[in-house]
Amino acid sequence: MTDHEEQENPERKSLGGDLVLPIGAFLFTLYYFYTIIDVPRIAQVSAFFVGTILIFLLILLAVRIGREVKAGTADLRLGRLGEPRSFIPKRLALFALTLGFIFFVEWLGFTLTVFAFLSLAMLLLSGGKKKGLAFSIAGILALGGYLLFIVAFNTRFPAGPFEQLMEWLF
Amino acid sequence: MEFDPGLFIGLFARTFTFWWLILPAIFLGLVVGAIPGFSAANTIIILLPMTLAMDPETGLIFMVALYASSRMGAGIPAILVNIPGTAGAAATPLDGYPMTKQGRGQQALAISFVSSVFGGLLATVITLLAMPWLSQLAFYLHSVEMIVIMLFGISLIATIAARDTLKGLIAGFFGLMIGYIGADVVYETPRGTFGFLELYDKVPLIPALVGLFAVSEAFFVIEGESILSKRGREAMQKAGWAGTIEGVRIALSKWWHIIWTSMIGLVIGVVPGAGAAIASFVAYQQSRTFSKTPELYGTGHVEGLIAPESANNGVTSGTLVPLLVIGIPGGATAAIMLVVLQYHGVTMGPDLFMDNPELAYGPFAAMAVTYFMMIFTIAPLARYMSRITVVSTIYMSPIIISFTLVGAFVPRQYMFDMYLALVFGVIGYIARKTGYHTAAILIGVILGPLLETYFLRVLKMSEGDIMVIFSSALGNVMWVALVICLATPYMLQRWRDRKAAA
């Protein structure tokens, strides 16, 4: 639908986004049923009980959305899920940074990875402005987190070169 | 287990002499309660070498003080940034967070503190007085009744949390299916694990909590400059002590609400396994049902904040009842207390109240003293804590993501759990954007394993006959109540529509 058409039907709801989670839930339920085919019957019953109710609810939702689409009061575009579009690149970049954070924390340890992630994510979200502030906050929080969680609480966070150096020094 | 005023007065007086231990435990509990992944249970485990070295009484006072204050701490991020510190605070943001967005964060915190303190204090005193009767409650609820309670819980939460009941139920039952992932407790067969060994032991709760609430929220809020509305920011910048004073005044004026919602928490807390999450949602639902202004719930309504906070603190003393009376811990923290007491050779059960009443009633005295001390130590901090909401999302989002993801790693120390938290973050983000409430999914994940365990138990006893779930008189009454509870909103709506059309 073009922007012009959208202006003609301002009250029309976009319900495609509402189907994303139900489709995922439906596929997962089918996969779950597949994994319990060979399980003793007693162990199947409760999963079939809950899974069947879930599928029934999903059918109700599909019928409800189908009726609205048929009546012309809704369409199947993503709607709120894809909006605002201007934030999609930033959000995807933040997601990639988060994935990188999880991947590297095992090798670089808590302090260095938190510092790198916070600096890069803050620069990303601020559009590269206030670099000094971003690095300062990242440094203080990474070091503060190290002192609070690892030194004070003795929490077993992922250890890397920084934590090993500190352990060797003190 | 008879009431002896002299014993109680002496016990309270003695507990006050442990102020030097209770105060640090309060602040530690607040911090660990506020950070997802650092629950009271985890912290007590980390500090086991210290508590095991103490004598049983001192160790117990420390653990109880930490437990009670962590319950209150969990509500702080729930109100300020929409991230409950523990699952027990999952209902708190329903009205707490909208208050913060309106610039009433300080007032919301003060209301939460007063409700928590008085709710917890009252439940503790009632527990002390009604211990013999409360301890009987757990005996009436068997597996069949527990199945209905679980389904009742998920249906209530689904209908409360989401504005659209159908979407709420889908979210809740999807959560239950996720909670079914892992090896079953009887046959040890892996189901729905996608081949990941890390999921054989069920879906861990902390990564689910971190992902559904914290990570999804961090990705959600970057659209705005701050989590506060423009008017909210202006209100926050002008705020002095007035917000705290007004919050305390409002909460005290709702004293009756605090009393009855904390009693809901106490009764649910006595049932082993039910927990603070169910209690807070049930209290919220009951509060809305009996309210003259139910339409205001979810928009920053004071009673919608008081109900879950009073109830989840009412649970705290309730969970200790089955532990001390019949040796069955009502929750994770109570289970760790059991381990510590058993290490010291203390045997739980009715004999403990005859042989060592100071130790048996001691935890409740410690809890009451802790709540009393929290009135003066925590409430004044609301003004300063609420300042966090003016921090720009440019800084807030990355901080939330990095620290909570590492928190997801802490309980099991699997890197897998951080990836799992990210997956839950994506699910939570989609749920937020499309109106499927994240709290309903989380409660489903929590209740899934419990529901399955009770199901397996009754099916084993009945040799696979599913009709066993309708075999108990009390259970059948609960089934009817469940159907009425689900049908009533539709019936009322239809009645209103017809009335409006006429």
Side-chain angles (χ1 to χ4, degrees), chain A residues 17-22 24-25 28-29 31-33 35-36 39-43 45-51 53-54 57-58 60-61 64 78 80-81 83-84 87 90-91 94-95 98-99 101-103 105-106 110 114 117-118 121-123 125-126 129-130 133-134 137 141-142 145 148-149 153-158, chain B residues 28 31-32 35 38 46 151 164 166-167 169-170 173-174 176-178 180-182 184 187 189-195 218-220 222-224 393-395 397-399 401-403 405-407 409-410 413 415 418-419 422 426-427 429-431 433-436 441 451-452 455-456 459-460 463-466 469 479:
Chain A
D18 289 19
L19 287 171
V20 174
L21 205 69
F28 172 70
T29 307
Y31 163 70
Y32 194 95
F33 285 171
T35 63
I36 58 170
V39 171
R41 191 182 153 271
I42 286 177
V45 174
S46 77
F48 276 125
F49 180 78
V50 171
I53 293 175
L54 177 59
L57 294 169
L58 295 174
L60 281 182
L61 183 79
R64 193 174 83 180
L78 282 179
R80 278 175 298 167
L81 188 58
E83 290 166 357
F87 271 89
K90 212 173 242 188
R91 205 167 259 140
L94 185 61
F95 185 80
T98 309
L99 263 181
F101 169 75
I102 300 173
F103 181 78
V105 75
E106 194 174 1
F110 169 80
V114 166
F117 173 78
L118 287 179
M122 286 172 186
L123 288 175
L125 295 178
S126 66
K129 294 171 196 162
K130 298 180 183 172
L133 185 62
I137 292 174
L141 286 174
L148 178 69
F149 297 120
F153 282 1
N154 200 21
T155 312
R156 289 178 63 188
F157 276 174
Chain B
L28 186 60
V31 173
V32 299
I35 306 171
F38 285 79
I46 292 166
L151 290 174
D164 182 334
L166 182 57
K167 281 184 171 179
L169 285 171
I170 288 172
F173 277 84
F174 180 39
L176 282 178
M177 284 306 292
I178 295 173
Y180 274 22
I181 290 175
D184 72 88
Y187 300 100
T189 321
R191 294 103 17 104
T193 60
F194 298 97
F219 277 89
F220 190 77
I222 60 170
E223 286 167 21
T393 54
I394 292 170
Y395 308 107
S397 287
I399 294 168
I401 292 171
S402 55
F403 280 84
L405 277 179
V406 179
F409 168 85
V410 172
Q413 290 166 18
M415 292 307 297
M418 292 170 75
Y419 287 104
L422 190 59
V426 174
I427 294 173
Y429 176 77
I430 297 170
K433 279 280 189 181
T434 54
Y436 296 90
I441 302 177
L451 180 65
E452 194 189 22
F455 247 116
L456 282 171
L459 288 169
K460 284 276 281 184
E463 296 177 343
D465 181 12
I466 184 75
I469 58 176
W479 279 116

